[in-house]
Amino acid sequence: MTGSAQANRGSVRGMPVLAAAALCLLLSPAVAQEDSGGPLAGFYSYLPAAPELKLPEISIPFWSDDLKKAKRAYRNGNYGRAAKLFRAASDEGDIVADWYLGHMYRQGLGVPRDDAMAYSYYTRVAEHYDPEESSDKRLRITVDAMVRLADYQRTGAVNAGITPNPDAAAQAYLKVATAYGHPAAQYALGVMNIKGEGMKRNPQQGLKWLMAAARKRYAPAEAYLGELYWEGTVVRADRTRAVMWYILARNSARPEENPEIFDRALQLESNVGEDERIEAEARAKVWDDQYPVTASRQAGD
């Protein structure tokens, strides 16, 4: 069976997998990590603190030669070639390739954007979740796939036949954020608390979740904080802080992933005075020194 056919089959089983996997997450401290050459570069990881891990009977390298070629093509922006190579690996049952393909279909990188395909590839990865996984990197991608499935639960996707279920999404985010400190889950909880989406509205709790993600230099959380300070509805309006957060978000973001952050940062900077901009840059540097992007990310090759 081809990767595409298997992916389509997996989409039917997605929700039960997410619920079952989320329920068995272990509570443990978070440690930040990253894959410098792929989608893992956009989030920070969450490894359990020294659990007793089962040793696998067979040791399989995280990056095979074919996957290295695919990743190199991805890093160089040759998404068409990367998709072809990842599909070949996916046909052999490689969940790393499945995870990359989910990311590529979700964002339309080298392939037409297709939420149904993205959802089904993420489902295949999430099915391999094991809290006692001996490979940190495989654990990271399975947990991340669970977060991506929760994203679809939260918003729904008409073209994928997924109806919104923010209550279930909030529960899944909470388990992943608590157990693994995944910043995308923390960010989602922050927004949902502020909006009262899938839970009782609690802006103060929402701000705490956003700050937790911002400390890991998660660009969407930093940008959202910038909007909050610019609008002044949840927090007191502060143009300098708004620009500060957008400067940080721009430094954390990748143009291909969040181009809107770069555009919005320029827009806000052009609407403040020189003194405000200079102060914002100084404040951003203080935060960056305390929570640097390079320190909160670790290459995953």
Side-chain angles (χ1 to χ4, degrees):
M1 182 179 291
T2 66
S4 297
Q6 290 175 322
N8 286 329
R9 182 188 64 184
S11 65
V12 178
R13 303 192 301 266
M15 293 303 178
V17 169
L18 177 61
L23 285 173
C24 58
L25 288 172
L26 300 177
L27 298 180
S28 49
V31 177
Q33 292 205 359
E34 171 211 27
D35 176 345
S36 61
L40 282 172
F43 72 88
Y44 310 81
S45 189
Y46 33 76
L47 301 179
E52 294 183 3
L53 298 176
K54 294 178 180 178
L55 294 177
E57 295 180 3
I58 301 176
S59 178
I60 302 175
F62 187 74
W63 294 112
S64 66
D65 288 342
D66 287 342
L67 280 179
K68 287 179 180 178
K69 292 177 183 177
K71 180 186 171 186
R72 190 178 304 116
Y74 184 99
R75 183 170 54 231
N76 293 335
N78 190 349
Y79 298 121
R81 173 173 168 75
K84 180 179 179 180
L85 291 168
F86 282 132
R87 283 196 197 97
S90 174
D91 288 344
E92 298 299 321
D94 194 302
I95 67 167
V96 179
D98 290 337
W99 182 81
Y100 265 89
L101 287 167
H103 181 80
M104 295 174 78
Y105 275 105
R106 178 171 60 87
Q107 294 207 321
L109 299 176
V111 295
R113 179 171 177 174
D114 189 327
D115 289 326
M117 290 295 291
Y119 181 85
S120 56
Y121 275 118
Y122 284 136
T123 297
R124 291 172 64 181
V125 179
E127 287 177 338
H128 288 81
Y129 169 74
D130 179 357
E132 296 186 333
E133 169 63 62
S134 63
S135 168
D136 291 343
K137 295 168 185 175
R138 289 174 69 88
L139 177 62
R140 291 166 62 198
I141 65 169
T142 55
V143 172
D144 184 69
M146 291 163 61
V147 174
R148 305 308 168 186
L149 291 175
D151 289 342
Y152 280 116
Q153 273 191 309
R154 177 188 171 195
T155 61
V158 176
N159 61 352
I162 304 169
T163 57
N165 190 344
D167 291 353
Q171 293 176 18
Y173 286 136
L174 182 60
K175 289 179 172 65
V176 174
T178 303
Y180 294 106
H182 194 301
Q186 293 173 330
Y187 163 70
L189 287 170
V191 175
M192 295 175 81
N193 270 278
I194 287 173
K195 293 183 175 181
E197 181 184 348
M199 62 187 69
K200 183 178 179 181
R201 188 172 182 271
N202 188 339
Q204 291 305 311
Q205 184 61 43
L207 290 172
K208 291 178 181 179
W209 281 118
L210 289 174
M211 289 298 293
R215 289 188 186 97
K216 295 177 183 176
R217 302 306 304 273
Y218 188 62
E222 294 171 320
Y224 198 86
L225 285 165
E227 289 297 332
L228 293 179
Y229 277 104
W230 189 261
E231 295 170 357
T233 53
V234 176
V235 296
R236 181 179 299 177
D238 188 327
R239 288 154 50 104
T240 300
R241 285 186 183 275
V243 174
M244 176 202 81
W245 281 116
Y246 261 101
I247 290 173
L248 291 166
R250 182 174 58 199
N251 292 343
S252 305
R254 296 173 182 270
E256 68 275 15
E257 299 253 349
N258 300 108
E260 72 286 352
I261 287 178
F262 293 81
D263 296 338
R264 182 61 170 160
L266 287 174
Q267 184 182 32
L268 263 59
E269 285 178 315
S270 67
N271 281 280
V272 298
E274 182 70 9
D275 290 344
E276 290 175 302
R277 184 184 61 78
I278 291 174
E279 183 179 351
E281 290 175 349
R283 291 185 182 183
K285 185 178 185 307
V286 171
W287 182 271
D288 188 60
D289 288 343
Q290 187 173 2
Y291 304 104
V293 173
T294 53
S296 60
R297 298 177 177 178
Q298 179 179 338
D301 293 303

